[in-house]
Structure formats: C-alpha cells, structure tokens
Amino acid sequence: MYQKVKRMTKTMRIFHWINAFSILAAVITGFYIGHPYYQTLISEPAAYKYVMAYNRLIHFFAALLLDVVSIAIFYLYFASRFEKPIKKLIPNRQNIKEFWEVFLNLITLNRRKNFDSSHLDSFNAVYFTILHLLLVWMLLTGFYMYVQGLESGLSAIGSWWPALLHLATDWVGWLLGGHAGVRWWHHFTMWIILAWVAFHIYYQVWRTIFWKEGDIAIVFGGYKFKKVK
C-alpha cells in the first residue's frame, strides 16, 4: 500500500522549471557568446542580423530570471510555510546522520535505507544549496564582464547602474586576476553547473527506479508515493 505525499507546492514547481529553462537558455547563448560557432552557417554577416546582440539579450534575461528566482528561493529557505530547507542545513547530529545515510543509500544501490524518504533530506538540501551558490558566483562573474562593456560609465537607465555593478563586482576582478581570469572562471563554473544538472537528473531517475516511490513525478504534480507498512 502507498500513501500520497505532497513534496512540492505549485510555486516551487514553477521555480523549478524557470530554473531549468533559464539554465538551458543561458548555456546555449553562453556558448555562442564565448565562441560564435554558428556564425559561419549564416549566409550574410551575422552583425547584420544582430545574432550576437540577440544571444547577449537572451543570456542576460535568462541570468536575470535565475537571479530573481534564487532570491525568492533564498527567502523560502527561511520563511516557507510548506518546508524550510534551512532546517536541513543546520549541522546538528540528526542532519549529519541523515546526510550520510542518504549518501550510503546511493553508493550501496539502495541496500540500506535508514531514513524517511517522504520529506526533504539533508543530502538533497545541501546539493540544491550548492547550485544556488554556483548561481551567485555566475552572477558576480557575469556582471563583472558585463559592466566592462559600459566603459563610458553610462547606460540606458542612467549612470547609477554601472556604478552599482562596479561597486558589487570590482573585487571579483581583483580576486581572479582581471578580465581573462573572470572569463575563465565563468566558463568553468558553467561546466560545474552542467555536471550538477546531469547528476540531478540521474539521481532523480535513480531514486524513482530504486525507491519505487514516483520521485520523478514530484516536479510535474507535486506528489510522490511512500510505502506504508
């Protein structure tokens, strides 16, 4: 017998898919911005079709969506009325034990399962927190490179915007050795995020197969099914 368990609210599912499609758009356009590989496939100069401009625009708005959603998720970490992930990040004895039990469950292919899988576990809470920290890092490195294009100190919305970005990100250039270093880290972090996404999809499919509780359905309907003894 199975019990239906609610695991995600509608808002959380919307945030999940905004994140998924924004990361996809940012990666595709980021590849082009770094290496305009499909420019040679266009019959006339890409500049006439604003190909780079459109890619930069989509990249910018995808990053903007990720940032806005990350701020909202950060708020929900502490103030959600459904579940507060921050409770699973506190390094107390219970959370540390649960983290390792979930990890052991993974590497032993479900041969031991000494935790309650009907709620958010500490392993997943840590894993998703790493993603949002990576997105913050992408925000800082991305805005550092973006503001370098506003050499005049002006923008369409005034001088306050470049000034704010310089104030928030100039230290990143100092830390990473200038524009070239920031660019390298921005690209390298993208590969880490892609690895994160690959493992995330693998793990959700893995849990669905081994646990047989319908975990993959959570991001579509918000529910999973827990075995009742």
Side-chain angles (χ1 to χ4, degrees), residues 37-208:
Y37 56 93
Y38 61 78
Q39 183 171 328
T40 55
L41 303 176
I42 300 171
S43 58
E44 59 183 295
Y48 296 160
K49 292 181 177 295
Y50 304 103
V51 177
M52 178 61 81
Y54 285 129
N55 274 277
R56 287 173 64 90
L57 182 68
I58 295 171
H59 194 77
F60 182 82
F61 278 106
L64 195 64
L65 277 174
L66 283 171
D67 297 334
V68 171
V69 170
S70 291
I71 292 171
I73 290 175
F74 178 75
Y75 171 78
L76 293 176
Y77 261 53
F78 297 88
S80 173
R81 289 186 293 181
F82 178 69
E83 67 181 10
K84 297 179 176 62
I86 189 64
K87 291 183 177 179
K88 290 294 180 180
L89 296 175
I90 299 171
N92 56 33
R93 184 176 180 181
Q94 180 181 354
N95 286 340
I96 293 174
K97 180 182 178 184
E98 184 181 58
F99 180 94
W100 285 111
E101 285 296 340
V102 178
F103 178 70
L104 291 172
N105 173 261
L106 173 65
I107 63 173
T108 60
L109 301 179
N110 202 38
R111 287 183 172 81
R112 54 182 288 164
K113 191 165 180 282
N114 301 325
F115 59 91
D116 184 358
S117 59
S118 65
H119 59 70
L120 175 68
D121 59 70
S122 296
F123 183 86
N124 251 357
V126 170
Y127 191 66
F128 276 92
T129 301
I130 290 172
L131 171 65
H132 294 298
L133 292 175
L134 290 172
L135 292 179
V136 170
W137 183 241
M138 292 298 270
L139 165 72
L140 293 170
T141 53
F143 270 133
Y144 174 86
M145 292 187 290
Y146 168 79
V147 78
Q148 304 305 309
L150 305 174
E151 294 180 356
S152 64
L154 298 173
S155 70
I157 55 176
S159 60
W160 65 271
W161 176 238
L164 178 64
L165 293 182
H166 277 296
L167 180 66
T169 65
D170 278 358
W171 64 273
V172 178
W174 174 81
L175 180 68
L176 302 179
H179 189 88
V182 175
R183 186 175 184 272
W184 187 89
W185 274 102
H186 195 74
H187 282 240
F188 180 67
T189 308
M190 177 203 69
W191 288 109
I192 298 176
I193 291 175
L194 285 178
W196 187 99
V197 171
F199 179 77
H200 168 62
I201 295 172
Y202 163 80
Y203 187 45
Q204 296 309 312
V205 173
W206 185 95
R207 294 191 344 170
T208 302

Side-chain angles (χ1 to χ4, degrees), residues 12-27:
M12 293 165 67
R13 299 200 302 277
I14 291 172
F15 285 169
H16 173 273
W17 290 112
I18 289 176
N19 273 342
F21 287 114
S22 296
I23 288 175
L24 181 64
V27 168

